Each structure stands twice: as structure tokens, then as C-alpha cells.
Amino acid sequence: MRTMNRNKSPFWYLLYDRKVPVTDEDGNETGEETVVYKPAVSFRANVSAATGASQVEQFGNLAGYDKVIVTDDMTCPVDENTVLFLDKEPVYDEDGKPLYDYMVRRVAKSLNSVSIAVTKVSVS
């Protein structure tokens, strides 16, 4: 099954890059780590309005997600470590940390499509 271009919505994804240690004002490591993401990439795919019973079965017993993204681009690099800007343009805080609004919960690949379950988060 192919996805129709007129049903595709634009959004941005940020792939996981690495973790870096957090340092205090003296340059000493605090023992904490912060996640660094690669630059935002624009993408177009079908984005559902809400969850439903048929989508719950698609991901097994996973019920903790808000939307499903479906694409026929089998080279889509989105995985469970990816964060998304679905309902807003990419925004960053003063330290360059992305203030994303969705996180990927699960990726399900089939023969002709990729389904991505995402959940809304609040990052500040």
C-alpha cells in the first residue's frame, strides 16, 4: 500500500547522536550526562489524529502513545531514540537543547511501510 502525497504532513525529526558528560562551573564532571541530537531534518508522512484500537494491535500491547506516523519510505532512519517536532517548528533553548514535542515509542516495519508510534512530551 502506498501513502498518498496529499495526506502527508510535514514534521521534523532529530536523530540521537551521543551523550556528553555535564560539567559544573569549575569544569568538573557531575556524573550526569546530557543527550546530543543531530540537526533537525524535515520529513513528510501520514500523521494520525489520535490513537485507536486498530493501532494498539499494530504495536502489540503498547498502549502509551498518542499518534501514529506512517510512511512508505523504507529508508526512513527514525528509531526509538528519535525525537520529533510534530505540532511546531524546531525550537531550541539558549543552550541549544531542542524543545521537541514528541518522542518515538516504537517503530514497526512491514513489507511496504513503516509505522511509528509517538507520544507527546513536555520539554523545558
Side-chain angles (χ1 to χ4, degrees):
M1 181 175 107
R2 299 301 242 168
T3 56
M4 295 177 64
N5 283 331
R6 70 179 182 175
N7 294 333
K8 293 181 180 180
S9 302
F11 64 92
W12 294 263
Y13 65 84
L14 288 83
L15 298 174
Y16 172 85
D17 190 17
R18 66 187 184 281
K19 287 186 179 180
V20 295
V22 175
T23 57
D24 61 13
E25 59 276 353
D26 296 326
N28 300 318
E29 292 185 11
T30 63
E32 298 176 357
E33 292 180 322
T34 185
V35 176
V36 177
Y37 293 97
K38 294 180 181 179
V41 176
S42 179
F43 196 75
R44 289 178 45 85
N46 294 356
V47 180
S48 73
T51 61
S54 64
Q55 293 154 344
V56 172
E57 294 171 7
Q58 180 177 1
F59 295 100
N61 293 330
L62 176 68
Y65 61 94
D66 297 313
K67 294 185 180 186
V68 175
I69 299 170
V70 179
T71 181
D72 58 355
D73 182 356
M74 299 305 291
T75 64
C76 179
V78 171
D79 61 16
E80 283 84 3
N81 298 312
T82 303
V83 294
L84 308 164
F85 290 103
L86 277 182
D87 295 335
K88 62 182 182 179
E89 299 279 327
V91 179
Y92 298 86
D93 67 6
E94 61 275 355
D95 296 328
K97 179 181 173 187
L99 302 175
Y100 51 88
D101 58 349
Y102 284 85
M103 292 178 62
V104 174
R105 291 289 307 261
R106 187 98 71 221
V107 176
K109 293 188 178 189
S110 67
L111 186 60
N112 296 316
S113 66
V114 178
S115 298
I116 305 163
V118 298
T119 186
K120 186 151 182 77
V121 295
S122 177
V123 177
S124 56

